[in-house]
Amino acid sequence: MLVITIVNPALTFSGLLGNLLSAMVVLAPVPTFYRICKKKSTESFHSVPYVVGLFSATMWVYYGILTADVLLLTINIAVCFIEVIYLFIFLLYAPAKSRTFTTKLIVMINLGVFGCLLLVSNLFIKESRRAQITGGICASFAVSVFVAPLSIIRLVIRTKSVEYMPFSLSFFLTLSAIAWFSYGMLLGDLFVAVPNVFGFLLGITQIIIYLIYMNHNKDGSKAKMGSQELPEKKSSAQGEAGECAQVAEEV
């Protein structure tokens, strides 16, 4: 089903808006990689969120192909391209041990797991059920990754500092979830709609937490101490929070 059509302008508009907002979420880790390039070191940053992000995007690309959904394809093909750039930069500046671990992870998840799912889907699943099963896997995976940003919320509550959770990221995450939920409902695709209920709840929760702690101990010694003790954690948490949010918001 080709979904870009003037017959249902509301559907097309929500899908295009979802593409735009998801792109903003996807680009959230750019400061992280600017820092890596500038210092020529990955420091305390981790590659796992970006490997997972690439896997999620490729799964949604496959689902988009099966359903001929152009708007799902455009954002997720773009995400795949961006994730590859992120991982290339990471591998370029990572120490040997981290580079080896990341390479193994890419081979295992992005080639091994995705390849096996693709093979099983095409060889053992009827064409009429292929899209449904693939959509179920994509939706389940999208819901599961919403657990990851909860660690950032715990960090904010523990440190009473919103430095670890940019407001813009939470804001665009919420808007993106609303857009994709609307798109999924108008399209009648629950695999797209349902995960974004969790995305919306996560985004709203982050905004509420931000509003609670945005001025808390702003000039206090604890805030200063936290920034001194966790300089690398701050940037790493922001980058990974953006990436985890993006993983789930590619739909």
Side-chain angles (χ1 to χ4, degrees):
M1 54 182 176
L2 189 64
V3 298
I4 295 183
T5 172
I6 59 173
V7 176
N8 195 338
L11 174 67
T12 302
F13 174 76
S14 60
L16 291 173
L17 183 61
N19 270 249
L20 176 63
L21 293 169
S22 292
M24 293 179 180
V25 176
V26 171
L27 294 173
V30 167
T32 296
F33 285 90
Y34 174 76
R35 176 192 176 102
I36 289 174
C37 291
K38 187 177 180 180
K39 294 198 170 185
K40 301 186 185 309
S41 171
T42 56
E43 300 175 310
S44 62
F45 298 114
H46 304 290
S47 62
V48 174
Y50 311 102
V51 174
V52 172
L54 180 58
F55 172 75
S56 178
T58 51
M59 284 299 299
W60 282 110
V61 166
Y62 181 51
Y63 179 70
I65 291 173
L66 292 175
T67 57
D69 192 324
V70 175
L71 293 173
L72 276 182
L73 282 170
T74 51
I75 183 60
N76 284 290
I77 289 174
V79 169
C80 286
F81 179 73
I82 294 170
E83 295 293 353
V84 168
I85 293 175
Y86 286 162
L87 287 169
F88 175 79
I89 293 173
F90 187 92
L91 290 172
L92 187 63
Y93 294 110
K97 185 176 180 180
S98 182
R99 186 183 299 117
T100 301
F101 172 77
T102 301
T103 302
K104 289 180 179 178
L105 207 60
I106 292 172
V107 172
M108 183 176 66
I109 296 178
N110 300 109
L111 296 179
V113 176
F114 178 72
C116 288
L117 288 173
L118 205 63
L119 193 64
V120 170
S121 173
N122 284 276
L123 293 181
F124 302 106
I125 299 176
K126 293 181 180 179
E127 187 175 354
S128 58
R129 298 199 60 199
R130 205 169 288 161
Q132 184 179 10
I133 292 175
T134 302
I137 294 172
C138 290
S140 300
F141 187 77
V143 171
S144 67
V145 298
F146 278 121
V147 177
L150 295 179
S151 62
I152 305 301
I153 294 177
R154 287 196 299 269
L155 183 62
V156 171
I157 294 174
R158 180 170 62 84
T159 61
K160 295 181 172 56
S161 171
V162 295
E163 290 179 318
Y164 309 100
M165 188 174 66
F167 178 80
S168 59
L169 176 60
S170 303
F171 179 71
F172 287 120
L173 169 63
T174 305
L175 292 183
S176 179
I178 293 172
W180 283 115
F181 174 78
S182 301
Y183 178 79
M185 293 303 294
L186 289 169
L187 187 62
D189 191 334
L190 294 179
F191 299 128
V192 174
V194 172
N196 286 287
V197 174
F198 292 89
F200 172 76
L201 294 175
L202 173 66
I204 289 295
T205 300
Q206 288 183 342
I207 290 174
I208 292 173
I209 294 294
Y210 185 93
L211 294 175
I212 291 173
Y213 291 106
M214 60 185 295
N215 294 317
H216 190 82
N217 285 342
K218 194 170 184 180
D219 300 317
S221 59
K222 288 185 178 180
K224 293 179 181 178
M225 185 180 297
S227 64
Q228 290 174 356
E229 292 177 349
L230 299 171
E232 303 303 328
K233 281 288 185 180
K234 173 184 173 182
S235 299
S236 182
Q238 288 180 352
E240 291 180 24
E243 188 61 23
C244 291
Q246 166 259 306
V247 169
E249 284 307 310
E250 284 152 12
V251 294

